[in-house]
Amino acid sequence: MDSLAAAPGTGPATNPLPILRKPRAAARFEDLPADRTVVMGILNVTPDSFSDGGKHPTADTAIAHGLRMFYAGADIIDIGGESTRPGAESVNPEEEQRRVLPVIQALVKAGALVSVDTIHTSTAAAAIDAGAAIINDVSGLTIEPGMAELIAASKVKYILTHRRGDAETMDSLAEYGNVVDEVVEELKGVRGKLYAAGVAPEQIIVDPGLGFSKNEAQNWELLKHVGKLDALGHPILVGASRKRFLGSLLAVAGKAAAPEERDHATAAITAISAARGIWGVRVHDVGPSLDAVKVAARVRH
């Protein structure tokens, strides 16, 4: 029987978690599984995220939740200190760093491969110094000055997400002739800025940005044709977890399903993505998606 101990930083007898008998493999991007879709667990250290805002309000509670996902088998833990939901208020980088840096340090120390969800160059730099191996930037077409140069110099991986506008304006910019083709072309445009700054092709992961400046029909169209992003030549990350278009799909009597009621639908998208050979999925509930990618891998191989 595994012993119990407090999560790092939580103090004695607080949030007891199982300690692994054997340490997991070194937290390097190169050690991620190549025979199945990668599962990235979402860890929001925010008061206002649409699904789990306020559930992990302190570094201690966030670390504890991150460790639970890590011990459950999450390949990557993606830590965010600023909500990216439509209409969310912006957070200054200093406050964002206060929220996320202790969590990054603790999870890296525990052996987790850490990604940081930020649009701010200064936060990305601080996160890399703290041990983050991936920067997940949802700024889309408006990369903050210095971000591309930082990624080039640090050699970390960079998730290039499609988004028009910002959290306040993106819903008003969901107008496309052909959403799939335009997303691909706009990602190419931002990628050109990364290349010009010296970012190597192998550093880039692309995310179609489901829910970011897309309406429900456009999200489904992107999911249906997500394989067209293969033309970009980079790994693809799908982030559909608990998003609004799933709530609408599962609505009862005109009332959208609550975020926590969307996990089965999220796991279904994970299974479909894995069956298509998508590189990674970003999810709130790690366990079902891990099962889904393992089943898909067994069927495919």
Side-chain angles (χ1 to χ4, degrees):
M1 184 175 185
D2 289 345
S3 61
L4 297 179
T10 60
T14 304
N15 294 310
L17 295 170
I19 299 301
L20 297 180
R21 293 177 184 226
K22 295 181 180 179
R24 287 173 59 172
R28 300 191 309 156
F29 189 90
E30 294 75 15
D31 293 327
L32 288 172
D35 59 346
R36 64 164 174 81
T37 294
V38 166
V39 175
M40 174 185 284
I42 299 169
L43 178 55
N44 290 318
V45 194
T46 61
D48 57 345
S49 291
F50 78 95
S51 172
D52 54 359
K55 288 189 176 180
H56 318 298
T58 68
D60 287 352
T61 56
I63 291 165
H65 184 61
L67 286 173
R68 288 188 186 97
M69 289 192 289
F70 176 53
Y71 291 170
D75 300 299
I76 304 168
I77 307 297
D78 188 49
I79 303 168
E82 178 178 14
S83 175
T84 57
R85 65 175 174 79
E89 294 185 4
S90 60
V91 174
N92 66 63
E94 291 76 17
E95 171 62 16
E96 182 185 36
Q97 290 166 39
R98 185 193 67 78
R99 295 174 181 179
V100 302
L101 290 179
V103 184
I104 297 167
Q105 292 164 350
L107 293 181
V108 168
K109 185 175 181 179
L113 184 66
V114 169
S115 167
V116 174
D117 182 351
T118 184
I119 65 173
H120 300 296
T121 303
S122 62
T123 299
I128 292 167
D129 286 345
I134 306 165
I135 298 301
N136 181 13
D137 182 0
V138 302
S139 62
L141 310 183
T142 56
I143 292 179
E144 197 170 272
M147 181 68 84
E149 291 76 10
L150 171 67
I151 301 303
S154 65
K155 308 299 183 185
V156 299
K157 303 296 181 180
Y158 179 80
I159 299 173
L160 168 58
T161 303
H162 181 273
R163 184 180 78 169
R164 293 174 174 175
D166 56 24
E168 293 184 359
T169 64
M170 62 181 173
D171 275 356
S172 67
L173 300 174
E175 296 185 7
Y176 302 86
N178 182 307
V179 65
V180 180
D181 290 347
E182 290 180 46
V183 164
V184 170
E185 287 305 309
E186 290 174 11
L187 285 172
K188 284 182 181 177
V190 182
R191 183 182 64 177
K193 299 177 183 178
L194 296 171
Y195 283 172
V199 176
E202 59 269 20
Q203 289 179 258
I204 299 173
I205 298 161
V206 293
D207 182 337
L210 299 175
F212 294 136
S213 55
K214 287 99 180 167
N215 61 32
E216 291 176 23
Q218 292 158 353
N219 287 322
W220 289 114
E221 187 70 7
L222 272 169
L223 274 173
K224 184 177 180 180
H225 299 289
V226 71
K228 287 192 174 183
L229 272 69
D230 282 334
L232 293 167
H234 308 288
I236 300 169
L237 177 69
V238 169
S241 186
R242 298 181 179 176
K243 290 196 171 177
R244 286 182 298 174
F245 71 101
L246 296 182
S248 298
L249 176 71
L250 304 175
V252 176
K255 183 178 180 181
E260 62 272 13
E261 295 172 346
R262 305 170 192 173
D263 284 335
H264 294 302
T266 298
I269 290 176
T270 291
I272 293 167
S273 299
R276 292 175 175 174
I278 296 299
W279 173 80
V281 292
R282 182 177 179 271
V283 300
H284 294 85
D285 191 3
V286 167
S289 283
L290 276 168
D291 290 348
V293 302
K294 290 174 182 176
V295 169
R298 183 65 183 85
V299 171
R300 292 184 73 218
H301 300 292

